[in-house]
Amino acid sequence: LNQAKYLYKKNMENQIRNLPLLRKVAVRFVLFPRTRQLMDTPNVCSVHDKFFMDALVEASKLPDDNYLHYVETGYKFGAIDPKNPRVDIEIYAAK
């Protein structure tokens, strides 16, 4: 699991680097699978949630991923996308 988390962070580095400093956020993870095979959206998105939020904190883009700074999350099914399967991550400033 540590190796998977490390590889995830390495793959996200360029995108995270371009983010502004964040203080308080709400985040939505949107799943776009390759096939119509049934899957549990939260099972896929929760891994992205954990790894992505840890990467934000480690990159000093968010002070912490506790409830003071990470105040809301959501998982959503987007659509089947055989050409570009992915999980989109939408970050919103929270009050």
PDB file of all heavy atoms in Angstrom, residues 27-51:
ATOM      1  N   VAL A  27     -14.196  18.602  -1.500  1.00  0.00           N
ATOM      2  CA  VAL A  27     -13.650  17.898  -2.662  1.00  0.00           C
ATOM      3  C   VAL A  27     -14.661  16.869  -3.159  1.00  0.00           C
ATOM      4  O   VAL A  27     -15.294  16.171  -2.362  1.00  0.00           O
ATOM      5  CB  VAL A  27     -12.315  17.197  -2.308  1.00  0.00           C
ATOM      6  CG1 VAL A  27     -11.722  16.515  -3.527  1.00  0.00           C
ATOM      7  CG2 VAL A  27     -11.320  18.197  -1.720  1.00  0.00           C
ATOM      8  N   ARG A  28     -14.808  16.802  -4.483  1.00  0.00           N
ATOM      9  CA  ARG A  28     -15.672  15.782  -5.090  1.00  0.00           C
ATOM     10  C   ARG A  28     -14.832  14.946  -6.042  1.00  0.00           C
ATOM     11  O   ARG A  28     -14.055  15.478  -6.841  1.00  0.00           O
ATOM     12  CB  ARG A  28     -16.836  16.415  -5.834  1.00  0.00           C
ATOM     13  CG  ARG A  28     -17.736  15.346  -6.463  1.00  0.00           C
ATOM     14  CD  ARG A  28     -19.051  15.848  -6.946  1.00  0.00           C
ATOM     15  NE  ARG A  28     -18.921  17.064  -7.720  1.00  0.00           N
ATOM     16  CZ  ARG A  28     -19.948  17.760  -8.173  1.00  0.00           C
ATOM     17  NH1 ARG A  28     -21.171  17.359  -7.914  1.00  0.00           N
ATOM     18  NH2 ARG A  28     -19.770  18.851  -8.873  1.00  0.00           N
ATOM     19  N   PHE A  29     -14.990  13.635  -5.963  1.00  0.00           N
ATOM     20  CA  PHE A  29     -14.297  12.679  -6.812  1.00  0.00           C
ATOM     21  C   PHE A  29     -15.324  12.090  -7.774  1.00  0.00           C
ATOM     22  O   PHE A  29     -16.341  11.542  -7.345  1.00  0.00           O
ATOM     23  CB  PHE A  29     -13.670  11.575  -5.957  1.00  0.00           C
ATOM     24  CG  PHE A  29     -12.631  12.112  -4.997  1.00  0.00           C
ATOM     25  CD1 PHE A  29     -13.009  12.618  -3.760  1.00  0.00           C
ATOM     26  CD2 PHE A  29     -11.297  12.134  -5.343  1.00  0.00           C
ATOM     27  CE1 PHE A  29     -12.066  13.124  -2.875  1.00  0.00           C
ATOM     28  CE2 PHE A  29     -10.338  12.640  -4.470  1.00  0.00           C
ATOM     29  CZ  PHE A  29     -10.724  13.139  -3.241  1.00  0.00           C
ATOM     30  N   VAL A  30     -15.062  12.218  -9.083  1.00  0.00           N
ATOM     31  CA  VAL A  30     -16.015  11.781 -10.104  1.00  0.00           C
ATOM     32  C   VAL A  30     -15.390  10.639 -10.902  1.00  0.00           C
ATOM     33  O   VAL A  30     -14.347  10.810 -11.536  1.00  0.00           O
ATOM     34  CB  VAL A  30     -16.406  12.942 -11.044  1.00  0.00           C
ATOM     35  CG1 VAL A  30     -17.484  12.482 -12.017  1.00  0.00           C
ATOM     36  CG2 VAL A  30     -16.869  14.155 -10.239  1.00  0.00           C
ATOM     37  N   LEU A  31     -16.037   9.488 -10.875  1.00  0.00           N
ATOM     38  CA  LEU A  31     -15.530   8.270 -11.505  1.00  0.00           C
ATOM     39  C   LEU A  31     -16.002   8.146 -12.947  1.00  0.00           C
ATOM     40  O   LEU A  31     -17.205   8.238 -13.227  1.00  0.00           O
ATOM     41  CB  LEU A  31     -15.993   7.051 -10.695  1.00  0.00           C
ATOM     42  CG  LEU A  31     -15.655   5.678 -11.261  1.00  0.00           C
ATOM     43  CD1 LEU A  31     -14.152   5.464 -11.322  1.00  0.00           C
ATOM     44  CD2 LEU A  31     -16.332   4.598 -10.417  1.00  0.00           C
ATOM     45  N   PHE A  32     -15.062   7.903 -13.856  1.00  0.00           N
ATOM     46  CA  PHE A  32     -15.324   7.634 -15.271  1.00  0.00           C
ATOM     47  C   PHE A  32     -14.648   6.311 -15.619  1.00  0.00           C
ATOM     48  O   PHE A  32     -13.495   6.292 -16.072  1.00  0.00           O
ATOM     49  CB  PHE A  32     -14.755   8.746 -16.159  1.00  0.00           C
ATOM     50  CG  PHE A  32     -15.423  10.080 -15.979  1.00  0.00           C
ATOM     51  CD1 PHE A  32     -15.002  10.954 -14.985  1.00  0.00           C
ATOM     52  CD2 PHE A  32     -16.476  10.455 -16.794  1.00  0.00           C
ATOM     53  CE1 PHE A  32     -15.611  12.184 -14.808  1.00  0.00           C
ATOM     54  CE2 PHE A  32     -17.100  11.682 -16.628  1.00  0.00           C
ATOM     55  CZ  PHE A  32     -16.665  12.548 -15.635  1.00  0.00           C
ATOM     56  N   PRO A  33     -15.323   5.168 -15.406  1.00  0.00           N
ATOM     57  CA  PRO A  33     -14.688   3.871 -15.685  1.00  0.00           C
ATOM     58  C   PRO A  33     -14.598   3.564 -17.178  1.00  0.00           C
ATOM     59  O   PRO A  33     -15.306   4.150 -17.993  1.00  0.00           O
ATOM     60  CB  PRO A  33     -15.608   2.875 -14.977  1.00  0.00           C
ATOM     61  CG  PRO A  33     -16.932   3.544 -14.940  1.00  0.00           C
ATOM     62  CD  PRO A  33     -16.659   5.018 -14.849  1.00  0.00           C
ATOM     63  N   ARG A  34     -13.713   2.627 -17.512  1.00  0.00           N
ATOM     64  CA  ARG A  34     -13.482   2.220 -18.905  1.00  0.00           C
ATOM     65  C   ARG A  34     -14.644   1.388 -19.459  1.00  0.00           C
ATOM     66  O   ARG A  34     -14.986   1.502 -20.631  1.00  0.00           O
ATOM     67  CB  ARG A  34     -12.193   1.399 -18.989  1.00  0.00           C
ATOM     68  CG  ARG A  34     -11.863   0.879 -20.377  1.00  0.00           C
ATOM     69  CD  ARG A  34     -10.618   0.008 -20.415  1.00  0.00           C
ATOM     70  NE  ARG A  34      -9.497   0.575 -19.709  1.00  0.00           N
ATOM     71  CZ  ARG A  34      -8.615   1.443 -20.230  1.00  0.00           C
ATOM     72  NH1 ARG A  34      -8.733   1.827 -21.471  1.00  0.00           N
ATOM     73  NH2 ARG A  34      -7.622   1.893 -19.494  1.00  0.00           N
ATOM     74  N   THR A  35     -15.220   0.527 -18.611  1.00  0.00           N
ATOM     75  CA  THR A  35     -16.246  -0.412 -19.087  1.00  0.00           C
ATOM     76  C   THR A  35     -17.528  -0.264 -18.273  1.00  0.00           C
ATOM     77  O   THR A  35     -17.576   0.434 -17.263  1.00  0.00           O
ATOM     78  CB  THR A  35     -15.762  -1.870 -18.949  1.00  0.00           C
ATOM     79  OG1 THR A  35     -15.696  -2.206 -17.555  1.00  0.00           O
ATOM     80  CG2 THR A  35     -14.407  -2.071 -19.610  1.00  0.00           C
ATOM     81  N   ARG A  36     -18.556  -0.985 -18.723  1.00  0.00           N
ATOM     82  CA  ARG A  36     -19.835  -0.987 -18.025  1.00  0.00           C
ATOM     83  C   ARG A  36     -19.869  -1.971 -16.854  1.00  0.00           C
ATOM     84  O   ARG A  36     -20.899  -2.129 -16.209  1.00  0.00           O
ATOM     85  CB  ARG A  36     -20.961  -1.327 -19.001  1.00  0.00           C
ATOM     86  CG  ARG A  36     -21.175  -0.266 -20.047  1.00  0.00           C
ATOM     87  CD  ARG A  36     -22.423  -0.573 -20.878  1.00  0.00           C
ATOM     88  NE  ARG A  36     -22.617   0.441 -21.887  1.00  0.00           N
ATOM     89  CZ  ARG A  36     -23.159   1.630 -21.672  1.00  0.00           C
ATOM     90  NH1 ARG A  36     -23.564   1.943 -20.466  1.00  0.00           N
ATOM     91  NH2 ARG A  36     -23.294   2.498 -22.644  1.00  0.00           N
ATOM     92  N   GLN A  37     -18.751  -2.634 -16.594  1.00  0.00           N
ATOM     93  CA  GLN A  37     -18.705  -3.562 -15.467  1.00  0.00           C
ATOM     94  C   GLN A  37     -19.120  -2.825 -14.199  1.00  0.00           C
ATOM     95  O   GLN A  37     -18.617  -1.744 -13.904  1.00  0.00           O
ATOM     96  CB  GLN A  37     -17.295  -4.122 -15.300  1.00  0.00           C
ATOM     97  CG  GLN A  37     -17.162  -5.042 -14.129  1.00  0.00           C
ATOM     98  CD  GLN A  37     -15.744  -5.559 -13.954  1.00  0.00           C
ATOM     99  OE1 GLN A  37     -14.916  -5.441 -14.848  1.00  0.00           O
ATOM    100  NE2 GLN A  37     -15.468  -6.136 -12.806  1.00  0.00           N
ATOM    101  N   LEU A  38     -20.055  -3.395 -13.474  1.00  0.00           N
ATOM    102  CA  LEU A  38     -20.541  -2.760 -12.255  1.00  0.00           C
ATOM    103  C   LEU A  38     -19.436  -2.700 -11.203  1.00  0.00           C
ATOM    104  O   LEU A  38     -18.676  -3.650 -11.032  1.00  0.00           O
ATOM    105  CB  LEU A  38     -21.746  -3.510 -11.699  1.00  0.00           C
ATOM    106  CG  LEU A  38     -23.001  -3.469 -12.574  1.00  0.00           C
ATOM    107  CD1 LEU A  38     -24.108  -4.296 -11.934  1.00  0.00           C
ATOM    108  CD2 LEU A  38     -23.454  -2.042 -12.794  1.00  0.00           C
ATOM    109  N   MET A  39     -19.342  -1.563 -10.541  1.00  0.00           N
ATOM    110  CA  MET A  39     -18.384  -1.387  -9.459  1.00  0.00           C
ATOM    111  C   MET A  39     -18.973  -0.426  -8.451  1.00  0.00           C
ATOM    112  O   MET A  39     -19.894   0.325  -8.765  1.00  0.00           O
ATOM    113  CB  MET A  39     -17.038  -0.876  -9.986  1.00  0.00           C
ATOM    114  CG  MET A  39     -17.097   0.508 -10.606  1.00  0.00           C
ATOM    115  SD  MET A  39     -15.529   1.065 -11.272  1.00  0.00           S
ATOM    116  CE  MET A  39     -15.257  -0.084 -12.589  1.00  0.00           C
ATOM    117  N   ASP A  40     -18.431  -0.451  -7.271  1.00  0.00           N
ATOM    118  CA  ASP A  40     -18.875   0.460  -6.223  1.00  0.00           C
ATOM    119  C   ASP A  40     -18.078   1.754  -6.340  1.00  0.00           C
ATOM    120  O   ASP A  40     -16.865   1.770  -6.102  1.00  0.00           O
ATOM    121  CB  ASP A  40     -18.656  -0.154  -4.844  1.00  0.00           C
ATOM    122  CG  ASP A  40     -19.535  -1.372  -4.597  1.00  0.00           C
ATOM    123  OD1 ASP A  40     -20.545  -1.517  -5.300  1.00  0.00           O
ATOM    124  OD2 ASP A  40     -19.208  -2.156  -3.696  1.00  0.00           O
ATOM    125  N   THR A  41     -18.762   2.815  -6.693  1.00  0.00           N
ATOM    126  CA  THR A  41     -18.106   4.116  -6.848  1.00  0.00           C
ATOM    127  C   THR A  41     -17.318   4.500  -5.597  1.00  0.00           C
ATOM    128  O   THR A  41     -16.162   4.917  -5.707  1.00  0.00           O
ATOM    129  CB  THR A  41     -19.145   5.186  -7.221  1.00  0.00           C
ATOM    130  OG1 THR A  41     -19.755   4.806  -8.466  1.00  0.00           O
ATOM    131  CG2 THR A  41     -18.510   6.548  -7.372  1.00  0.00           C
ATOM    132  N   PRO A  42     -17.888   4.356  -4.383  1.00  0.00           N
ATOM    133  CA  PRO A  42     -17.116   4.737  -3.194  1.00  0.00           C
ATOM    134  C   PRO A  42     -15.843   3.907  -2.987  1.00  0.00           C
ATOM    135  O   PRO A  42     -14.859   4.417  -2.460  1.00  0.00           O
ATOM    136  CB  PRO A  42     -18.089   4.530  -2.031  1.00  0.00           C
ATOM    137  CG  PRO A  42     -19.437   4.607  -2.652  1.00  0.00           C
ATOM    138  CD  PRO A  42     -19.279   4.033  -4.025  1.00  0.00           C
ATOM    139  N   ASN A  43     -15.863   2.636  -3.383  1.00  0.00           N
ATOM    140  CA  ASN A  43     -14.659   1.819  -3.221  1.00  0.00           C
ATOM    141  C   ASN A  43     -13.498   2.381  -4.034  1.00  0.00           C
ATOM    142  O   ASN A  43     -12.362   2.419  -3.573  1.00  0.00           O
ATOM    143  CB  ASN A  43     -14.908   0.373  -3.628  1.00  0.00           C
ATOM    144  CG  ASN A  43     -15.758  -0.372  -2.629  1.00  0.00           C
ATOM    145  OD1 ASN A  43     -16.082   0.144  -1.558  1.00  0.00           O
ATOM    146  ND2 ASN A  43     -16.149  -1.572  -2.977  1.00  0.00           N
ATOM    147  N   VAL A  44     -13.770   2.812  -5.254  1.00  0.00           N
ATOM    148  CA  VAL A  44     -12.737   3.371  -6.118  1.00  0.00           C
ATOM    149  C   VAL A  44     -12.351   4.766  -5.632  1.00  0.00           C
ATOM    150  O   VAL A  44     -11.176   5.095  -5.473  1.00  0.00           O
ATOM    151  CB  VAL A  44     -13.218   3.420  -7.585  1.00  0.00           C
ATOM    152  CG1 VAL A  44     -12.187   4.105  -8.472  1.00  0.00           C
ATOM    153  CG2 VAL A  44     -13.532   2.019  -8.094  1.00  0.00           C
ATOM    154  N   CYS A  45     -13.340   5.600  -5.387  1.00  0.00           N
ATOM    155  CA  CYS A  45     -13.082   7.001  -5.042  1.00  0.00           C
ATOM    156  C   CYS A  45     -12.435   7.164  -3.668  1.00  0.00           C
ATOM    157  O   CYS A  45     -11.650   8.092  -3.465  1.00  0.00           O
ATOM    158  CB  CYS A  45     -14.364   7.814  -5.133  1.00  0.00           C
ATOM    159  SG  CYS A  45     -14.967   7.994  -6.823  1.00  0.00           S
ATOM    160  N   SER A  46     -12.727   6.267  -2.739  1.00  0.00           N
ATOM    161  CA  SER A  46     -12.157   6.419  -1.396  1.00  0.00           C
ATOM    162  C   SER A  46     -10.642   6.253  -1.406  1.00  0.00           C
ATOM    163  O   SER A  46      -9.946   6.902  -0.619  1.00  0.00           O
ATOM    164  CB  SER A  46     -12.804   5.440  -0.420  1.00  0.00           C
ATOM    165  OG  SER A  46     -12.494   4.106  -0.764  1.00  0.00           O
ATOM    166  N   VAL A  47     -10.135   5.418  -2.288  1.00  0.00           N
ATOM    167  CA  VAL A  47      -8.673   5.270  -2.397  1.00  0.00           C
ATOM    168  C   VAL A  47      -8.072   6.563  -2.935  1.00  0.00           C
ATOM    169  O   VAL A  47      -7.069   7.057  -2.412  1.00  0.00           O
ATOM    170  CB  VAL A  47      -8.305   4.066  -3.289  1.00  0.00           C
ATOM    171  CG1 VAL A  47      -6.809   4.004  -3.515  1.00  0.00           C
ATOM    172  CG2 VAL A  47      -8.820   2.775  -2.672  1.00  0.00           C
ATOM    173  N   HIS A  48      -8.691   7.137  -3.960  1.00  0.00           N
ATOM    174  CA  HIS A  48      -8.228   8.428  -4.479  1.00  0.00           C
ATOM    175  C   HIS A  48      -8.322   9.493  -3.392  1.00  0.00           C
ATOM    176  O   HIS A  48      -7.423  10.326  -3.251  1.00  0.00           O
ATOM    177  CB  HIS A  48      -9.053   8.854  -5.701  1.00  0.00           C
ATOM    178  CG  HIS A  48      -8.709   8.097  -6.928  1.00  0.00           C
ATOM    179  ND1 HIS A  48      -7.709   8.487  -7.782  1.00  0.00           N
ATOM    180  CD2 HIS A  48      -9.218   6.954  -7.441  1.00  0.00           C
ATOM    181  CE1 HIS A  48      -7.623   7.631  -8.776  1.00  0.00           C
ATOM    182  NE2 HIS A  48      -8.529   6.683  -8.589  1.00  0.00           N
ATOM    183  N   ASP A  49      -9.388   9.475  -2.642  1.00  0.00           N
ATOM    184  CA  ASP A  49      -9.600  10.434  -1.559  1.00  0.00           C
ATOM    185  C   ASP A  49      -8.415  10.395  -0.586  1.00  0.00           C
ATOM    186  O   ASP A  49      -7.773  11.408  -0.313  1.00  0.00           O
ATOM    187  CB  ASP A  49     -10.917  10.102  -0.862  1.00  0.00           C
ATOM    188  CG  ASP A  49     -11.358  11.103   0.186  1.00  0.00           C
ATOM    189  OD1 ASP A  49     -10.570  11.992   0.563  1.00  0.00           O
ATOM    190  OD2 ASP A  49     -12.508  10.987   0.629  1.00  0.00           O
ATOM    191  N   LYS A  50      -8.118   9.236  -0.072  1.00  0.00           N
ATOM    192  CA  LYS A  50      -7.038   9.092   0.913  1.00  0.00           C
ATOM    193  C   LYS A  50      -5.693   9.505   0.321  1.00  0.00           C
ATOM    194  O   LYS A  50      -4.961  10.308   0.906  1.00  0.00           O
ATOM    195  CB  LYS A  50      -6.991   7.640   1.408  1.00  0.00           C
ATOM    196  CG  LYS A  50      -5.844   7.341   2.334  1.00  0.00           C
ATOM    197  CD  LYS A  50      -5.962   8.125   3.623  1.00  0.00           C
ATOM    198  CE  LYS A  50      -4.813   7.760   4.582  1.00  0.00           C
ATOM    199  NZ  LYS A  50      -4.521   8.836   5.498  1.00  0.00           N
ATOM    200  N   PHE A  51      -5.349   8.957  -0.836  1.00  0.00           N
ATOM    201  CA  PHE A  51      -4.040   9.233  -1.431  1.00  0.00           C
ATOM    202  C   PHE A  51      -3.907  10.689  -1.862  1.00  0.00           C
ATOM    203  O   PHE A  51      -2.872  11.312  -1.667  1.00  0.00           O
ATOM    204  CB  PHE A  51      -3.792   8.316  -2.628  1.00  0.00           C
ATOM    205  CG  PHE A  51      -3.514   6.878  -2.283  1.00  0.00           C
ATOM    206  CD1 PHE A  51      -3.507   6.422  -0.966  1.00  0.00           C
ATOM    207  CD2 PHE A  51      -3.264   5.966  -3.277  1.00  0.00           C
ATOM    208  CE1 PHE A  51      -3.243   5.092  -0.667  1.00  0.00           C
ATOM    209  CE2 PHE A  51      -2.992   4.637  -2.993  1.00  0.00           C
ATOM    210  CZ  PHE A  51      -2.980   4.194  -1.686  1.00  0.00           C
TER     211      PHE A  51
END
